[in-house]
Amino acid sequence: MDWVIFTPFFLFGTISGSFLNVMIYRIPEEISIVSPRSFCPHCKSDIPFYRNIPLITFLFQGGKCSMCQKNISLQYPTVEFLSGIIWGWSFSSFTFGPALFITILSSVFLVVSWIDMNQMIIPLNLIVIAGVVVVVGVALEILPWQKSIYGSIVGPISFGFVLGITYLISKRQAMGYGDIQLSAVLGAWQGPLNILFILFFASFLSLLVWVIISILFGFDRDRALPFAPFLVVSAVTIFVTEFYIDFSIFELFRWIGN
């Protein structure tokens, strides 16, 4: 990793992360992401620009609003930090076009994940935005069109199949329709085989977290968990792993078979 490139893009990414926090808060509330200016979600006081510096403001104010002194959610510095990592890693690892593609797509997925964690919903407009980004990636030959088409088909079919089987067994809907829509975009990005592994790893992670929560807070058969974060974490993990080892899951699968 080239730290000379990483550092400035990380700093710029934290600024982008501040805007992502605006999207996470305002989209479910159906508030414009453009206006009004940033405000405290507790006391609704406007936040001046000098108190809206990513990461630094949170640390210097001790995680509290300067006006009402109520706690600022850890979501804000966490999203800013993750956005910085996305920008820094992408632009220090890829040429400009692919880096910008990965950055925008990953940022949309970050917003989707956090909204799903907070609200248990996946806004359709964000799925549409991610889909448009993927289409642009195909048009610019960043993604192979055949792989994207097959992945966008295999994703919803495999998720729909699992959803149907789960409902027949448990009479409960394990995933929402937003998860199926998200699977189409993830499949278009990662391809038909990877989306199957994404589903497997996401299911394993969600089950593991569900068991841990049950141990800590008691068993509740009806406890629901947002699935989008597990899907996104699995997809990003597979993407980054393949980048560093330069070895596709398909090759790994074929190697194990031999």
Side-chain angles (χ1 to χ4, degrees):
M1 182 181 295
D2 190 337
W3 291 100
V4 175
I5 298 177
F6 177 91
T7 303
F9 277 103
F10 171 84
L11 295 175
F12 185 82
T14 61
I15 298 173
S16 173
S18 183
F19 178 69
L20 298 184
N21 275 317
V22 171
M23 296 177 65
I24 291 170
Y25 177 78
R26 297 191 183 191
I27 288 178
E29 300 293 330
E30 299 184 350
I31 303 173
S32 170
I33 61 175
V34 178
S35 64
R37 61 183 300 174
S38 297
F39 57 86
C40 172
H42 300 295
C43 64
K44 310 302 181 183
S45 300
D46 288 343
I47 302 176
F49 73 92
Y50 56 85
R51 291 191 181 276
N52 202 21
I53 303 173
L55 298 178
I56 295 177
T57 296
F58 183 87
L59 295 175
F60 273 86
Q61 293 183 180
K64 297 180 181 296
C65 171
S66 61
M67 299 297 292
C68 66
Q69 294 300 306
K70 289 189 177 180
N71 291 331
I72 301 172
S73 171
L74 282 174
Q75 166 197 310
Y76 291 90
T78 302
V79 170
E80 290 167 353
F81 178 78
L82 290 176
S83 179
I85 294 295
I86 291 170
W87 279 81
W89 182 81
S90 298
F91 281 92
S92 62
S93 302
F94 298 92
T95 57
F96 182 81
L100 185 61
F101 166 79
I102 293 168
T103 297
I104 295 175
L105 189 62
S106 299
S107 297
V108 175
F109 289 150
L110 178 57
V111 174
V112 167
S113 299
W114 222 281
I115 289 178
D116 197 29
M117 280 195 294
N118 291 341
Q119 307 282 346
M120 295 288 286
I121 60 172
I122 300 178
L124 179 60
N125 53 355
L126 291 176
I127 297 296
V128 172
I129 292 173
V132 170
V133 174
V134 169
V135 170
V136 172
V138 172
L140 297 178
E141 298 184 348
I142 296 173
L143 298 175
W145 67 269
Q146 300 97 328
K147 187 176 180 180
S148 291
I149 291 177
Y150 294 148
S152 66
I153 295 173
V154 171
I157 289 177
S158 58
F159 275 58
F161 177 77
V162 172
L163 181 64
I165 294 297
T166 304
Y167 181 78
L168 289 175
I169 294 175
S170 64
K171 302 302 180 183
R172 296 173 62 243
Q173 186 169 316
M175 294 181 291
Y177 296 112
D179 297 316
I180 297 178
Q181 294 165 353
L182 178 60
S183 73
V185 181
L186 292 174
W189 173 35
Q190 297 254 3
L193 185 60
N194 277 22
I195 191 62
L196 297 177
F197 280 90
I198 290 170
L199 174 59
F200 172 79
F201 287 126
S203 300
F204 173 78
L205 288 174
S206 64
L207 178 61
L208 179 62
V209 170
W210 190 89
V211 170
I212 293 174
I213 291 175
S214 296
I215 293 174
L216 295 176
F217 302 103
F219 175 78
D220 182 358
R221 183 177 179 274
D222 296 324
R223 177 180 288 116
L225 294 178
F227 199 53
F230 299 106
L231 289 173
V232 172
V233 167
S234 299
V236 171
T237 299
I238 288 175
F239 179 78
V240 173
T241 301
E242 287 189 341
F243 171 79
Y244 278 112
I245 65 176
D246 191 25
F247 198 63
S248 72
I249 286 183
F250 176 75
E251 291 172 328
L252 177 63
F253 186 75
R254 185 172 58 185
W255 178 77
I256 294 175
N258 292 333

